[in-house]
Amino acid sequence: MVAPGSVTSRLGSVFPFLLVLVDLQYEGAECGVNADVEKHLELGKKLLAAGQLADALSQFHAAVDGDPDNYIAYYRRATVFLAMGKSKAALPDLTKVIQLKMDFTAARLQRGHLLLKQGKLDEAEDDFKKVLKSNPSENEEKEAQSQLIKSDEMQRLRSQALDAFESGDYAAAIAFLDKILEVCVWDAELRELRAECFIKEGEPRKAISDLKAASKLKNDNTEAFYKISTLYYQLGDHELSLSEVRECLKLDQDHKRCFAHYKQVKKLNKLIESAEELIRDGRYTDATSKYESVMKTEPSIAEYTIRSKERICHCFSKDEKPVEAIRLCSEVLQMEPDNVNALKDRAEAYLIEEMYDEAIQDYETAQEHNENDQQIREGLEKAQRLLKQSQRRDYYKILGVKRNAKKQEIIKAYRKLALQWHPDNFQNEEEKKKAEKKFIDIAAAKEVLSDPEMRKKFDDGEDPLDAESQQGGGGNPFHRSWNSWQGFNPFSSGGPFRFKFHFN
């Protein structure tokens, strides 16, 4: 009785005829085994049943070494190889079993099954037919008949797939190959053929999947590695492209196409890595130059141009060059409307340019595609605050300076405006009142923007002089009459109450 869940039980669920393994009794006289070989076989069988595959394999290796003509030892070793997923290693052992014992139908049936999975349909059919001619058990006969029918079907589908491929009907070829590869899962040639169809149909990632399988199924498959590398390169994934072309060169260091491709990918990869390091260091102008070199190095693949422009846009945005950033980000977004990185960088540039509605729109679009991005959420909240703020009092606009203005620029603008709008300059009562209000706003703007802490609050969308935006705050200290500003010297570096200042 086989325990449910045991290795043999699992194998039997896939290959019913393998159950013969545990119950198979060999006769010492027939097999000519000595006591040591018998001991290895018995111990190996117990270890296999217990799922200790590596230990079981060691015992069966010893049995084969002890008696190279013992078909049972080969058969049991083949079964362990299969349980370990090593079908290539199992096949020679099954062939040896058949050579030693021609009427061993279980081994022939198992070999036929492996050959069918490898897509060796003629050889598989030959094994199934011989099983039917060798007085099989009822179960073996059913299995052989079933596998023959399946093999005939695969022959027909393969012929149809090849015809479709030759006629350029790649979608039909893929449909046929899908059905074949459900059975012939280890057929490297058919996977390579389907990969070609996927390439023709514009589905490179599916082609890569098949080629990766083919690179494992066929020894020294340099062609598969080369194709995988070029496909990754065309997709813009230079790192994976470099990794795969190196695998090709490991197999054949003189492979001409792999070596030429390797030099190109390595050069591009080095430029991109260098550019990203410069961005991390905040050297945005140098990083921009590197990405311009990337576009010159690989002008024929659009993916590298798009990615380079995306990163240059990022550099412009971080380097507070909003006009250039908006222009380049917009170019990227024309090609990729859902590019979240370009949307975020353009939104930041819009904020610098005080184009709050546009910034909000970009952040909202980006959020639709990545709702969990904290940077997008914070940027959107900031843009909304700044929009609301701009509808009230904007200290930058009052002084006529950019948001990235240095303190010296702020002081200079303040002095010029304070001189222009000092109420003593005006005699008309209405004009004087207007000037008083203007002067107070100018003084407030200077006070906020020349103080780093207050300026940061304002840049984050909070007016430090607005009672509504201060928790528990009182009235606005700048909302006072003109009389309280008498004696204020706009050209002093100290507080507002130094000495009376009059204009002549």
Side-chain angles (χ1 to χ4, degrees), residues 157-412:
L157 287 170
R158 184 158 66 178
S159 177
Q160 290 175 312
L162 292 171
D163 288 344
F165 181 81
E166 291 298 325
S167 64
D169 190 351
Y170 304 113
I174 289 169
F176 291 129
L177 289 166
D178 286 345
K179 292 179 181 178
I180 302 171
L181 287 166
E182 287 177 7
V183 176
C184 306
V185 291
W186 300 331
D187 191 324
E189 283 75 16
L190 289 183
R191 287 196 177 274
E192 289 175 342
L193 181 62
R194 188 168 68 174
E196 285 299 314
C197 293
F198 281 135
I199 293 169
K200 298 290 187 181
E201 288 291 290
E203 297 187 83
R205 294 200 180 275
K206 289 183 178 180
I208 288 170
S209 178
D210 269 342
L211 289 167
K212 281 190 172 183
S215 71
K216 294 180 176 68
L217 292 167
K218 188 191 294 184
N219 292 331
D220 299 333
N221 197 342
T222 54
E223 188 64 22
F225 284 116
Y226 173 72
K227 286 183 179 178
I228 294 168
S229 180
T230 56
L231 286 171
Y232 273 133
Y233 186 74
Q234 289 161 13
L235 288 168
D237 201 329
H238 54 96
E239 291 177 333
L240 284 175
S241 178
L242 188 60
S243 174
E244 295 295 333
V245 78
R246 280 173 174 157
E247 291 299 318
C248 174
L249 291 172
K250 282 180 187 177
L251 295 172
D252 181 3
Q253 62 182 2
D254 297 321
H255 195 289
K256 289 184 179 179
R257 287 188 298 165
C258 281
F259 186 68
H261 184 60
Y262 169 74
K263 288 196 295 183
Q264 174 70 3
V265 183
K266 188 178 180 182
K267 181 180 179 181
L268 196 72
N269 189 66
K270 188 175 180 180
L271 282 171
I272 293 171
E273 283 184 346
S274 177
E276 288 302 309
E277 187 175 344
L278 289 167
I279 289 174
R280 286 191 293 272
D281 293 342
R283 296 168 60 188
Y284 300 114
T285 301
D286 292 336
T288 296
S289 177
K290 288 288 183 184
Y291 270 116
E292 286 171 349
S293 296
V294 170
M295 290 189 282
K296 291 175 183 175
T297 301
E298 187 45 86
S300 61
I301 296 177
E303 188 67 23
Y304 293 103
T305 299
I306 295 171
R307 294 286 78 79
S308 296
K309 287 186 175 182
E310 177 190 313
R311 297 305 284 160
I312 293 171
C313 159
H314 176 75
C315 292
F316 283 148
S317 179
K318 292 298 181 185
D319 207 22
E320 296 189 340
K321 296 178 179 177
V323 176
E324 295 92 330
I326 291 167
R327 174 184 59 78
L328 209 57
C329 283
S330 297
E331 284 184 26
V332 174
L333 289 165
Q334 282 180 347
M335 295 177 280
E336 294 181 348
D338 301 333
N339 188 314
V340 172
N341 291 328
L343 285 165
K344 287 196 294 185
D345 287 325
R346 189 171 72 173
E348 287 187 25
Y350 278 141
L351 288 181
I352 297 171
E353 285 293 281
E354 301 175 14
M355 300 169 69
Y356 304 123
D357 287 317
E358 291 84 351
I360 288 169
Q361 185 177 347
D362 273 358
Y363 277 129
E364 286 177 342
T365 303
Q367 196 170 53
E368 288 174 9
H369 300 289
N370 193 347
E371 59 184 20
N372 296 320
D373 190 315
Q374 186 177 352
Q375 187 182 5
I376 295 172
R377 185 166 57 251
E378 291 175 353
L380 177 58
E381 290 170 357
K382 180 179 179 180
Q384 290 168 336
R385 286 196 306 271
L386 289 171
L387 175 62
K388 186 177 179 181
Q389 186 184 83
S390 71
Q391 294 166 347
R392 299 197 299 269
R393 179 167 55 175
D394 188 328
Y395 296 125
Y396 289 104
K397 285 185 177 178
I398 289 169
L399 293 183
V401 296
K402 291 282 188 181
R403 282 190 165 269
N404 58 355
K406 301 291 188 285
K407 185 174 180 179
Q408 295 89 331
E409 296 175 72
I410 291 167
I411 298 299
K412 183 179 179 181

